Amino acid sequence: MDFKDSQPIYLQITDGIMDQILDGTYPPDGRIPSVREYAAKVEVNANTVMRSYDWLQQQQIIFNRRGIGFFVLHEAPKRIIEMRRNIFFRDEMEYYFNRLASFGITPENLANQYADYLNQKQKR
């Protein structure tokens, strides 16, 4: 896994795991790799992965069954989408609105482009 310097590695790992939950790699109620397995997979220290798993547990995305492993909570996909949507609106939306305004993109232009994007995505 390629890590960026702009964000702590454990948070980048949590983002990756949440992406894998959303794409079905780790389905609700399914098991995720052990801390050691995941650490070997992404080539980081097991303590870093444990910190990621702790964060995911605090956010009620995964849970631990002692002696068995970590599992995805049934509600995890819904929680992830809600969490990411809130972060987007709180932290990122203003940046994108400023960019749109600086390019002279109107709400109608944006709505049309987004509708076209969704139509193309459905055709795939």
Side-chain angles (χ1 to χ4, degrees), residues 5 17 27 34 39 43-44 49 53 62 64 87 107-108 113 118:
D5 292 334
I17 292 170
S34 72
E43 299 177 336
V44 298
V49 174
Y53 282 23
I62 65 172
N64 185 10
I87 289 168
E108 294 79 19
Q113 289 292 321
L118 293 176

Side-chain angles (χ1 to χ4, degrees), residues 2-37:
D2 292 327
F3 296 107
K4 301 172 241 157
D5 292 334
S6 60
Q7 184 181 35
I9 291 173
Y10 84 96
L11 290 176
Q12 293 177 61
I13 291 170
T14 62
D15 277 344
I17 292 170
M18 289 189 296
D19 288 343
Q20 291 174 308
I21 290 169
L22 291 176
D23 75 14
T25 302
Y26 304 133
D29 303 317
R31 187 178 175 278
I32 64 173
S34 72
V35 170
R36 289 182 188 176
E37 290 169 336

Side-chain angles (χ1 to χ4, degrees), residues 93-107 109-110:
M93 186 62 87
E94 185 174 355
Y95 168 80
Y96 290 104
F97 282 164
N98 285 332
R99 299 283 289 183
L100 292 168
S102 72
F103 298 149
I105 297 173
T106 66
N109 296 142
L110 181 60

Side-chain angles (χ1 to χ4, degrees), residues 63-78:
F63 66 98
N64 185 10
R65 288 188 181 149
R66 291 221 182 265
I68 299 174
F70 289 92
F71 292 81
V72 177
L73 278 159
H74 187 74
E75 307 82 20
K78 181 180 172 186

